Amino acid sequence: MEGQITERIKKNYARMGSSSQKVADLIMKNTATISSMTLAQLAKKSGVSLATVSRFAKDMGYQNFSQFKWALNSQVETPLAIDNEISDRDTLKTVSQKVLNANIETLTETFDLLHEEDLYAARELIVNAKNLSFFGLGGSNIVAFDAYHRFLRVPLYVSYNSEYHMALMQASKLTKGDCAIVISHSGSNKDTINIAEILKKKDVPIIVITSTPKSALTAYGKICFFSISKSLQYRQKAFLSMTSQLAITECLYMLTAQYFGKKADETFDSLQDIINTRHK
């Protein structure tokens, strides 16, 4: 991956403007350091504007800077240190520590890929939606259901179906005044793409959550959030990805609850009263 990005930069270097060349020079000198920078930090370090860095990422074939940075992170990513691999000799507490460390690392790197403008735009789509609909298949179904469960606690109409054909019908009834959150670790699941295609035909704005920035699914997203995932022995990337996907949906929920303020509190209290009454 590193060679591919570097070669792409070299191939296009002569056609770049002087400002873009400053960004390119900095990236080629120290890719590992650049991969951990924010958009603002890279712009400042290069001596260019934020718009120049964003344009550079798009010129390199990425949808936005978040996607470009994810690719940089991937190319310099090293496997978890050997000390973090699960061993037959590890104690129960040591295994637990290694699992938690992997989750902490996943969440930290996912946070680094979040941008204020994307979070704001996503919240605007959510709070103005007539119907906020969640979609996820396979392991992502768990994340979609958890998000649906959370968002029932804010003053929005939300919908979710775990069965694929029901989800297709759900997607077909949405309109451009609604919002869909589509979750997929790979971003290439054929059935998930079918759902996204239906949503696109209905002009429904889509928020995509995936671990694969160059996947087919990202082309459908009005806004894309990327969940970092690394493999750990006995635990595939998709499982660690689920941790960061759950965190992203919780961030979106909290931003929405913050927006509605007292109305969100009233909705939560009303639901809690109903639940408490049923348990008496």
Side-chain angles (χ1 to χ4, degrees):
M1 176 66 78
E2 180 172 4
Q4 292 176 5
I5 293 179
T6 303
E7 286 304 313
R8 194 179 305 170
I9 292 175
K10 290 179 179 178
K11 184 178 180 180
N12 291 279
Y13 189 85
R15 295 194 295 270
M16 294 179 186
S18 58
S19 294
S20 292
Q21 286 180 347
K22 290 180 181 179
V23 179
D25 291 339
L26 192 61
I27 291 173
M28 288 192 290
K29 282 181 181 177
N30 198 337
T31 304
T33 300
I34 301 304
S35 67
S36 63
M37 288 185 178
T38 64
L39 187 151
Q41 288 171 336
L42 179 54
K44 183 177 180 180
K45 189 76 173 177
S46 304
V48 301
S49 67
L50 297 176
T52 296
V53 177
S54 295
R55 186 167 56 251
F56 178 88
K58 292 180 180 179
D59 289 344
M60 289 299 101
Y62 296 90
Q63 190 175 27
N64 50 41
F65 179 73
S66 293
Q67 195 178 93
F68 179 70
K69 183 179 173 181
W70 194 98
L72 285 176
N73 270 301
S74 298
Q75 74 179 31
V76 299
E77 176 185 326
T78 55
L80 290 172
I82 191 66
D83 288 341
N84 283 333
E85 289 294 343
I86 305 298
S87 166
D88 293 339
R89 298 184 297 275
D90 287 340
T91 65
L92 300 181
K93 189 166 184 179
T94 298
V95 171
S96 300
Q97 182 182 23
K98 290 179 178 181
V99 171
L100 291 175
N101 284 344
N103 278 288
I104 291 169
E105 184 177 349
T106 292
L107 291 171
T108 299
E109 294 188 12
T110 296
F111 172 76
D112 288 340
L113 293 178
L114 295 177
H115 295 286
E116 187 87 13
E117 59 270 25
D118 291 334
L119 292 168
Y120 176 80
R123 186 176 72 172
E124 286 297 296
L125 288 177
I126 290 170
V127 300
N128 290 299
K130 296 177 182 177
N131 182 335
L132 177 62
S133 208
F134 297 91
F135 299 91
L137 302 174
S140 297
N141 206 332
I142 298 171
V143 182
F145 176 72
D146 179 80
Y148 167 70
H149 183 254
R150 291 181 191 279
F151 275 85
L152 283 171
R153 291 163 170 76
V154 293
L156 288 172
Y157 181 81
V158 295
S159 57
Y160 155 83
N161 272 293
S162 61
E163 201 276 325
Y164 172 58
H165 293 96
M166 293 290 287
L168 286 175
M169 289 188 279
Q170 175 185 331
S172 70
K173 297 191 72 174
L174 298 180
T175 69
K176 62 182 180 181
D178 301 317
C179 177
I181 296 181
V182 181
I183 305 159
S184 171
H185 167 65
S186 68
S188 60
N189 179 281
K190 184 178 179 180
D191 291 338
T192 302
I193 298 301
N194 286 341
I195 291 173
E197 184 66 33
I198 291 173
L199 293 168
K200 181 180 179 181
K201 289 179 180 178
K202 303 287 288 186
D203 293 324
V204 180
I206 302 172
I207 298 172
V208 167
I209 300 176
T210 183
S211 296
T212 314
K214 296 292 283 184
S215 65
L217 184 60
T218 58
Y220 295 91
K222 189 176 182 68
I223 303 164
C224 296
F225 293 106
F226 302 109
S227 52
I228 292 294
S229 59
K230 294 186 177 182
S231 59
L232 185 68
Q233 191 173 1
Y234 308 124
R235 194 176 183 191
Q236 295 178 333
K237 284 187 175 183
F239 290 103
L240 278 173
S241 173
M242 193 179 298
T243 299
S244 49
Q245 288 173 354
L246 286 166
I248 291 171
T249 57
E250 184 170 7
C251 287
L252 294 176
Y253 163 73
M254 291 301 295
L255 291 171
T256 303
Q258 178 194 46
Y259 174 88
F260 283 112
K262 187 176 180 180
K263 288 184 178 179
D265 291 337
E266 291 171 351
T267 301
F268 180 85
D269 291 341
S270 176
L271 290 173
Q272 197 61 48
D273 287 342
I274 292 172
I275 293 171
N276 291 339
T277 300
R278 294 289 296 173
H279 282 82
K280 285 183 178 179

